[in-house]
Amino acid sequence: MIKKCLFPAAGYGTRFLPATKAMPKEMLPVVNKPLIQYGVEEALDAGLTEISIVTGRGKRALEDHFDISYELENQIKGTDKEKYLVGIRKLLDECSFSYTRQTEMKGLGHAILTGRPLIGDEPFAVVLADDLCVNLEGDGVLTQMVKLYKQYRCTIVAIQEVDPQETHKYGVIAGDLIGDDLYRVRNMVEKPKPEDAPSNLAIIGRYILTPDIFKLIEETEPGKGGEIQITDALMKQAQDGCVIAYKFKGTRFDCGGAEGYIEATNFCFEHFYKTGKAY
Ligand code: G1P
């Protein structure tokens, strides 16, 4: 079954400058936890224990975060502050972490292809950590998607309905309804203008990909913004085989920008921090 989860984390985080000038955007805290930790927790909840992270220059804090800090551990040993590290210790105990570097920023498709040596020839999940996803009612988004993968055995992308004026921020799909909240993808366009969008069903940062995607990415020409787009490779996969789009249960916050980040912060403060579930 699926064990691996890839986190493309080499991006510059320009929407959050100057905060992200010397700090990875994935390390921005939402209340008391960095964004990427929420993503890794969601992966572990879904049974994905082999965490692969595509990093880049200036991203070493990510590796330090998913490691022991002996000095700090020693300092707080036996005090009530130890509780703050319970969550991260669980991740270190139950997951493995591997890293590779993307030396040039050539788009999300290229970032995923850079992760190939860490993934090999098996299906895997992809999490874009700045999309923070929560579901207070039940399974996390990746858990929902892993369950679907077991049933359909093909690539699955998470989607949500967005304001038709916002399609230029997303990969947008069109498809045939094949079940509750499930579409078989017919068309996919990266960041279309509203007038060119095939629908208002937008891809968010959760994917389960079958490994044939790597070859398709290799064959993909630069697209929107001159970058190698995962959306274009997925479109080929949808034409040749099957790609399913899943309208997930839960809420997604776009933490790549100030508005979504503040909403996520308020939400996590209310539902996790104040209720003692934040560690
Ligand atoms: C990327 C993808 C886009 C997807 C989005 C989800 O865009 O290229 O298809 O809809 O993530 O967050 P980015 O936000 O990195 O520009």
Side-chain angles (χ1 to χ4, degrees):
M1 274 324 297
I2 307 185
K3 285 271 147 232
K4 294 189 175 169
C5 188
L6 184 71
F7 289 77
Y12 296 124
T14 45
R15 284 195 285 164
F16 255 113
L17 284 170
T20 47
K21 188 164 171 265
M23 182 180 76
K25 66 170 171 172
E26 296 78 12
M27 288 301 293
L28 286 169
V30 174
V31 191
N32 61 326
K33 266 193 287 196
L35 266 172
I36 193 157
Q37 189 173 336
Y38 289 91
V40 175
E41 287 172 354
E42 187 189 326
L44 177 59
D45 276 347
L48 313 177
T49 54
E50 296 178 31
I51 307 300
S52 307
I53 306 183
V54 178
T55 67
R57 287 179 290 282
K59 299 277 188 166
R60 280 190 212 151
L62 293 171
E63 289 168 62
D64 291 337
H65 187 69
F66 295 109
D67 197 354
I68 303 271
S69 166
Y70 283 106
E71 239 176 272
L72 174 70
E73 300 254 342
N74 193 40
Q75 186 77 30
I76 64 174
K77 203 173 167 70
T79 73
D80 68 348
K81 289 186 180 154
E82 273 199 294
K83 68 173 186 279
Y84 298 135
L85 295 182
V86 169
I88 185 78
R89 277 186 188 153
K90 179 173 153 67
L91 298 183
L92 296 184
D93 285 346
E94 296 182 23
C95 299
S96 66
F97 294 86
S98 341
Y99 302 86
T100 191
R101 277 197 184 209
Q102 189 183 10
T103 51
E104 287 174 287
M105 302 305 133
K106 291 201 247 168
L108 180 57
H110 180 256
I112 292 173
L113 186 59
T114 304
R116 185 183 203 168
L118 303 177
I119 300 295
D121 191 25
E122 51 188 288
F124 62 104
V126 173
V127 169
L128 307 184
D130 49 12
D131 276 345
L132 196 158
C133 294
V134 289
N135 182 20
L136 296 177
E137 314 295 323
D139 288 344
V141 179
L142 279 179
T143 304
Q144 296 168 41
M145 293 172 76
V146 166
K147 283 185 179 168
L148 279 174
Y149 177 79
K150 287 183 183 160
Q151 207 182 334
Y152 290 94
R153 304 265 161 183
C154 70
T155 285
I156 300 172
V157 299
I159 52 167
Q160 70 173 72
E161 283 182 40
V162 295
D163 181 333
Q165 294 310 312
E166 304 267 279
T167 55
H168 63 283
K169 296 182 182 168
Y170 301 95
V172 177
I173 71 121
D176 304 313
L177 202 60
I178 55 167
D180 279 351
D181 297 326
L182 277 185
Y183 298 80
R184 190 177 174 137
V185 172
R186 249 187 302 110
N187 192 10
M188 229 179 213
V189 189
E190 179 66 8
K191 303 200 172 94
K193 289 190 209 128
E195 58 271 31
D196 301 327
S199 77
N200 69 334
L201 297 172
I203 302 170
I204 61 112
R206 298 290 181 279
Y207 306 75
I208 288 181
L209 303 175
T210 52
D212 53 312
I213 197 70
F214 292 126
K215 186 159 183 293
L216 294 169
I217 299 172
E218 275 175 344
E219 292 162 6
T220 299
E221 298 292 327
K224 193 89 188 178
E227 297 185 328
I228 309 283
Q229 299 294 349
I230 187 65
T231 305
D232 296 339
L234 286 167
M235 180 59 204
K236 283 193 263 173
Q237 204 178 33
Q239 280 165 341
D240 299 348
C242 181
V243 171
I244 286 176
Y246 169 55
K247 214 194 280 177
F248 66 93
K249 293 181 178 56
T251 310
R252 166 246 178 198
F253 298 97
D254 172 14
C255 294
E259 206 178 312
Y261 179 76
I262 296 300
E263 280 171 22
T265 302
N266 288 330
F267 183 96
C268 291
F269 181 66
E270 208 54 46
H271 294 282
F272 303 142
Y273 194 81
K274 276 183 28 189
T275 56
K277 289 185 228 145
Y279 311 118

PDB file of all heavy atoms in Angstrom, residues 15 108 128 130-131 169-171 190-191 202-205 207 229-231 252, ligand 1:
ATOM      1  N   ARG A  15       4.937  35.337  -1.499  1.00  0.00           N
ATOM      2  CA  ARG A  15       3.762  36.055  -0.991  1.00  0.00           C
ATOM      3  C   ARG A  15       3.917  36.406   0.481  1.00  0.00           C
ATOM      4  O   ARG A  15       3.126  37.147   1.045  1.00  0.00           O
ATOM      5  CB  ARG A  15       2.496  35.207  -1.193  1.00  0.00           C
ATOM      6  CG  ARG A  15       2.005  35.195  -2.643  1.00  0.00           C
ATOM      7  CD  ARG A  15       0.593  34.664  -2.748  1.00  0.00           C
ATOM      8  NE  ARG A  15       0.523  33.220  -2.589  1.00  0.00           N
ATOM      9  CZ  ARG A  15      -0.596  32.557  -2.331  1.00  0.00           C
ATOM     10  NH1 ARG A  15      -1.735  33.196  -2.181  1.00  0.00           N
ATOM     11  NH2 ARG A  15      -0.572  31.239  -2.194  1.00  0.00           N
ATOM     12  N   LEU A 108       6.076  23.050 -10.178  1.00  0.00           N
ATOM     13  CA  LEU A 108       5.670  21.956  -9.288  1.00  0.00           C
ATOM     14  C   LEU A 108       5.930  20.584  -9.916  1.00  0.00           C
ATOM     15  O   LEU A 108       6.352  19.649  -9.232  1.00  0.00           O
ATOM     16  CB  LEU A 108       4.189  22.117  -8.924  1.00  0.00           C
ATOM     17  CG  LEU A 108       3.592  21.067  -8.006  1.00  0.00           C
ATOM     18  CD1 LEU A 108       4.361  20.965  -6.688  1.00  0.00           C
ATOM     19  CD2 LEU A 108       2.124  21.377  -7.723  1.00  0.00           C
ATOM     20  N   LEU A 128       1.162  19.732  -0.520  1.00  0.00           N
ATOM     21  CA  LEU A 128       1.684  21.105  -0.575  1.00  0.00           C
ATOM     22  C   LEU A 128       1.358  21.719   0.786  1.00  0.00           C
ATOM     23  O   LEU A 128       0.191  21.966   1.116  1.00  0.00           O
ATOM     24  CB  LEU A 128       1.027  21.894  -1.708  1.00  0.00           C
ATOM     25  CG  LEU A 128       1.078  21.231  -3.095  1.00  0.00           C
ATOM     26  CD1 LEU A 128       0.478  22.154  -4.156  1.00  0.00           C
ATOM     27  CD2 LEU A 128       2.506  20.836  -3.471  1.00  0.00           C
ATOM     28  N   ASP A 130       1.553  24.473   2.240  1.00  0.00           N
ATOM     29  CA  ASP A 130       0.855  25.736   2.511  1.00  0.00           C
ATOM     30  C   ASP A 130      -0.659  25.626   2.332  1.00  0.00           C
ATOM     31  O   ASP A 130      -1.390  26.543   2.699  1.00  0.00           O
ATOM     32  CB  ASP A 130       1.461  26.935   1.753  1.00  0.00           C
ATOM     33  CG  ASP A 130       1.680  26.666   0.280  1.00  0.00           C
ATOM     34  OD1 ASP A 130       1.150  25.648  -0.205  1.00  0.00           O
ATOM     35  OD2 ASP A 130       2.381  27.472  -0.366  1.00  0.00           O
ATOM     36  N   ASP A 131      -1.149  24.508   1.825  1.00  0.00           N
ATOM     37  CA  ASP A 131      -2.584  24.224   1.920  1.00  0.00           C
ATOM     38  C   ASP A 131      -2.800  23.417   3.197  1.00  0.00           C
ATOM     39  O   ASP A 131      -2.488  22.224   3.252  1.00  0.00           O
ATOM     40  CB  ASP A 131      -3.062  23.396   0.710  1.00  0.00           C
ATOM     41  CG  ASP A 131      -3.397  24.266  -0.496  1.00  0.00           C
ATOM     42  OD1 ASP A 131      -3.539  25.491  -0.338  1.00  0.00           O
ATOM     43  OD2 ASP A 131      -3.519  23.710  -1.601  1.00  0.00           O
ATOM     44  N   LYS A 169      -5.918  31.015  -9.945  1.00  0.00           N
ATOM     45  CA  LYS A 169      -4.952  30.652  -8.891  1.00  0.00           C
ATOM     46  C   LYS A 169      -4.717  29.140  -8.815  1.00  0.00           C
ATOM     47  O   LYS A 169      -3.922  28.678  -8.005  1.00  0.00           O
ATOM     48  CB  LYS A 169      -5.493  31.096  -7.528  1.00  0.00           C
ATOM     49  CG  LYS A 169      -5.645  32.579  -7.366  1.00  0.00           C
ATOM     50  CD  LYS A 169      -6.141  32.863  -5.961  1.00  0.00           C
ATOM     51  CE  LYS A 169      -6.353  34.338  -5.739  1.00  0.00           C
ATOM     52  NZ  LYS A 169      -7.106  34.560  -4.491  1.00  0.00           N
ATOM     53  N   TYR A 170      -5.471  28.362  -9.606  1.00  0.00           N
ATOM     54  CA  TYR A 170      -5.494  26.911  -9.413  1.00  0.00           C
ATOM     55  C   TYR A 170      -5.409  26.127 -10.722  1.00  0.00           C
ATOM     56  O   TYR A 170      -5.707  26.662 -11.787  1.00  0.00           O
ATOM     57  CB  TYR A 170      -6.829  26.501  -8.764  1.00  0.00           C
ATOM     58  CG  TYR A 170      -7.112  27.138  -7.449  1.00  0.00           C
ATOM     59  CD1 TYR A 170      -7.878  28.298  -7.375  1.00  0.00           C
ATOM     60  CD2 TYR A 170      -6.617  26.578  -6.275  1.00  0.00           C
ATOM     61  CE1 TYR A 170      -8.152  28.888  -6.151  1.00  0.00           C
ATOM     62  CE2 TYR A 170      -6.885  27.161  -5.062  1.00  0.00           C
ATOM     63  CZ  TYR A 170      -7.649  28.312  -4.999  1.00  0.00           C
ATOM     64  OH  TYR A 170      -7.912  28.892  -3.785  1.00  0.00           O
ATOM     65  N   GLY A 171      -5.093  24.827 -10.562  1.00  0.00           N
ATOM     66  CA  GLY A 171      -5.397  23.885 -11.628  1.00  0.00           C
ATOM     67  C   GLY A 171      -6.891  23.613 -11.553  1.00  0.00           C
ATOM     68  O   GLY A 171      -7.431  23.421 -10.469  1.00  0.00           O
ATOM     69  N   GLU A 190      -4.186  24.515 -16.140  1.00  0.00           N
ATOM     70  CA  GLU A 190      -3.465  25.201 -15.076  1.00  0.00           C
ATOM     71  C   GLU A 190      -3.776  26.696 -15.095  1.00  0.00           C
ATOM     72  O   GLU A 190      -3.562  27.363 -16.105  1.00  0.00           O
ATOM     73  CB  GLU A 190      -1.952  24.953 -15.202  1.00  0.00           C
ATOM     74  CG  GLU A 190      -1.091  25.636 -14.152  1.00  0.00           C
ATOM     75  CD  GLU A 190      -1.290  25.114 -12.724  1.00  0.00           C
ATOM     76  OE1 GLU A 190      -1.997  24.101 -12.526  1.00  0.00           O
ATOM     77  OE2 GLU A 190      -0.735  25.730 -11.801  1.00  0.00           O
ATOM     78  N   LYS A 191      -4.301  27.166 -13.997  1.00  0.00           N
ATOM     79  CA  LYS A 191      -4.543  28.598 -13.754  1.00  0.00           C
ATOM     80  C   LYS A 191      -5.206  29.323 -14.930  1.00  0.00           C
ATOM     81  O   LYS A 191      -4.676  30.318 -15.452  1.00  0.00           O
ATOM     82  CB  LYS A 191      -3.223  29.280 -13.372  1.00  0.00           C
ATOM     83  CG  LYS A 191      -2.580  28.628 -12.137  1.00  0.00           C
ATOM     84  CD  LYS A 191      -1.591  29.497 -11.441  1.00  0.00           C
ATOM     85  CE  LYS A 191      -1.147  28.876 -10.141  1.00  0.00           C
ATOM     86  NZ  LYS A 191       0.070  28.074 -10.195  1.00  0.00           N
ATOM     87  N   ALA A 202     -11.487  23.348  -8.370  1.00  0.00           N
ATOM     88  CA  ALA A 202     -10.056  23.645  -8.318  1.00  0.00           C
ATOM     89  C   ALA A 202      -9.286  22.571  -7.570  1.00  0.00           C
ATOM     90  O   ALA A 202      -9.760  22.053  -6.550  1.00  0.00           O
ATOM     91  CB  ALA A 202      -9.839  24.987  -7.626  1.00  0.00           C
ATOM     92  N   ILE A 203      -8.108  22.266  -8.095  1.00  0.00           N
ATOM     93  CA  ILE A 203      -7.230  21.290  -7.436  1.00  0.00           C
ATOM     94  C   ILE A 203      -6.573  21.975  -6.241  1.00  0.00           C
ATOM     95  O   ILE A 203      -6.089  23.100  -6.349  1.00  0.00           O
ATOM     96  CB  ILE A 203      -6.136  20.804  -8.407  1.00  0.00           C
ATOM     97  CG1 ILE A 203      -6.772  20.191  -9.651  1.00  0.00           C
ATOM     98  CG2 ILE A 203      -5.197  19.811  -7.716  1.00  0.00           C
ATOM     99  CD1 ILE A 203      -5.775  19.896 -10.771  1.00  0.00           C
ATOM    100  N   ILE A 204      -6.572  21.287  -5.101  1.00  0.00           N
ATOM    101  CA  ILE A 204      -5.838  21.829  -3.951  1.00  0.00           C
ATOM    102  C   ILE A 204      -4.634  20.923  -3.689  1.00  0.00           C
ATOM    103  O   ILE A 204      -4.465  19.896  -4.359  1.00  0.00           O
ATOM    104  CB  ILE A 204      -6.745  22.015  -2.716  1.00  0.00           C
ATOM    105  CG1 ILE A 204      -7.340  20.692  -2.271  1.00  0.00           C
ATOM    106  CG2 ILE A 204      -7.869  23.003  -3.029  1.00  0.00           C
ATOM    107  CD1 ILE A 204      -6.835  20.236  -0.983  1.00  0.00           C
ATOM    108  N   GLY A 205      -3.811  21.295  -2.716  1.00  0.00           N
ATOM    109  CA  GLY A 205      -2.506  20.659  -2.584  1.00  0.00           C
ATOM    110  C   GLY A 205      -2.466  19.278  -1.950  1.00  0.00           C
ATOM    111  O   GLY A 205      -1.682  19.021  -1.034  1.00  0.00           O
ATOM    112  N   TYR A 207      -2.465  15.206  -3.487  1.00  0.00           N
ATOM    113  CA  TYR A 207      -2.522  14.322  -4.653  1.00  0.00           C
ATOM    114  C   TYR A 207      -2.121  12.923  -4.219  1.00  0.00           C
ATOM    115  O   TYR A 207      -1.271  12.773  -3.344  1.00  0.00           O
ATOM    116  CB  TYR A 207      -1.499  14.739  -5.719  1.00  0.00           C
ATOM    117  CG  TYR A 207      -1.549  16.179  -6.188  1.00  0.00           C
ATOM    118  CD1 TYR A 207      -1.066  17.223  -5.408  1.00  0.00           C
ATOM    119  CD2 TYR A 207      -2.044  16.497  -7.454  1.00  0.00           C
ATOM    120  CE1 TYR A 207      -1.081  18.554  -5.862  1.00  0.00           C
ATOM    121  CE2 TYR A 207      -2.056  17.817  -7.919  1.00  0.00           C
ATOM    122  CZ  TYR A 207      -1.577  18.828  -7.115  1.00  0.00           C
ATOM    123  OH  TYR A 207      -1.585  20.129  -7.565  1.00  0.00           O
ATOM    124  N   GLN A 229       4.430  22.012 -15.366  1.00  0.00           N
ATOM    125  CA  GLN A 229       3.243  21.961 -14.515  1.00  0.00           C
ATOM    126  C   GLN A 229       2.783  20.522 -14.286  1.00  0.00           C
ATOM    127  O   GLN A 229       2.611  19.768 -15.249  1.00  0.00           O
ATOM    128  CB  GLN A 229       2.097  22.764 -15.165  1.00  0.00           C
ATOM    129  CG  GLN A 229       2.406  24.237 -15.354  1.00  0.00           C
ATOM    130  CD  GLN A 229       2.569  24.984 -14.041  1.00  0.00           C
ATOM    131  OE1 GLN A 229       2.253  24.470 -12.955  1.00  0.00           O
ATOM    132  NE2 GLN A 229       3.065  26.212 -14.117  1.00  0.00           N
ATOM    133  N   ILE A 230       2.533  20.169 -13.029  1.00  0.00           N
ATOM    134  CA  ILE A 230       1.994  18.837 -12.733  1.00  0.00           C
ATOM    135  C   ILE A 230       0.617  18.683 -13.392  1.00  0.00           C
ATOM    136  O   ILE A 230       0.249  17.605 -13.858  1.00  0.00           O
ATOM    137  CB  ILE A 230       1.932  18.565 -11.200  1.00  0.00           C
ATOM    138  CG1 ILE A 230       1.540  17.108 -10.923  1.00  0.00           C
ATOM    139  CG2 ILE A 230       0.966  19.478 -10.474  1.00  0.00           C
ATOM    140  CD1 ILE A 230       2.510  16.083 -11.367  1.00  0.00           C
ATOM    141  N   THR A 231      -0.128  19.781 -13.461  1.00  0.00           N
ATOM    142  CA  THR A 231      -1.470  19.725 -14.062  1.00  0.00           C
ATOM    143  C   THR A 231      -1.398  19.223 -15.514  1.00  0.00           C
ATOM    144  O   THR A 231      -2.242  18.424 -15.935  1.00  0.00           O
ATOM    145  CB  THR A 231      -2.123  21.131 -14.017  1.00  0.00           C
ATOM    146  OG1 THR A 231      -2.103  21.575 -12.666  1.00  0.00           O
ATOM    147  CG2 THR A 231      -3.553  21.112 -14.511  1.00  0.00           C
ATOM    148  N   ARG A 252     -10.028  23.678   3.794  1.00  0.00           N
ATOM    149  CA  ARG A 252      -8.654  23.931   3.375  1.00  0.00           C
ATOM    150  C   ARG A 252      -8.373  25.427   3.515  1.00  0.00           C
ATOM    151  O   ARG A 252      -9.184  26.260   3.138  1.00  0.00           O
ATOM    152  CB  ARG A 252      -8.501  23.470   1.930  1.00  0.00           C
ATOM    153  CG  ARG A 252      -7.248  23.952   1.237  1.00  0.00           C
ATOM    154  CD  ARG A 252      -7.627  24.888   0.136  1.00  0.00           C
ATOM    155  NE  ARG A 252      -6.491  25.424  -0.552  1.00  0.00           N
ATOM    156  CZ  ARG A 252      -6.562  26.500  -1.311  1.00  0.00           C
ATOM    157  NH1 ARG A 252      -7.705  27.114  -1.479  1.00  0.00           N
ATOM    158  NH2 ARG A 252      -5.502  26.965  -1.895  1.00  0.00           N
TER     159      ARG A 252
HETATM  160  C1  G1P B   1      -0.141  24.600  -7.409  1.00  0.00           C
HETATM  161  C2  G1P B   1      -0.640  23.863  -8.662  1.00  0.00           C
HETATM  162  C3  G1P B   1      -2.114  24.163  -8.908  1.00  0.00           C
HETATM  163  C4  G1P B   1      -2.919  23.838  -7.662  1.00  0.00           C
HETATM  164  C5  G1P B   1      -2.343  24.596  -6.442  1.00  0.00           C
HETATM  165  C6  G1P B   1      -3.018  24.151  -5.142  1.00  0.00           C
HETATM  166  O1  G1P B   1      -0.119  25.985  -7.679  1.00  0.00           O
HETATM  167  O2  G1P B   1       0.152  24.244  -9.766  1.00  0.00           O
HETATM  168  O3  G1P B   1      -2.574  23.391  -9.981  1.00  0.00           O
HETATM  169  O4  G1P B   1      -4.265  24.209  -7.866  1.00  0.00           O
HETATM  170  O5  G1P B   1      -0.939  24.329  -6.294  1.00  0.00           O
HETATM  171  O6  G1P B   1      -2.601  24.906  -4.055  1.00  0.00           O
HETATM  172  P1  G1P B   1       0.664  27.035  -6.738  1.00  0.00           P
HETATM  173  O7  G1P B   1      -0.263  27.376  -5.615  1.00  0.00           O
HETATM  174  O8  G1P B   1       1.911  26.358  -6.262  1.00  0.00           O
HETATM  175  O9  G1P B   1       0.945  28.220  -7.613  1.00  0.00           O
END
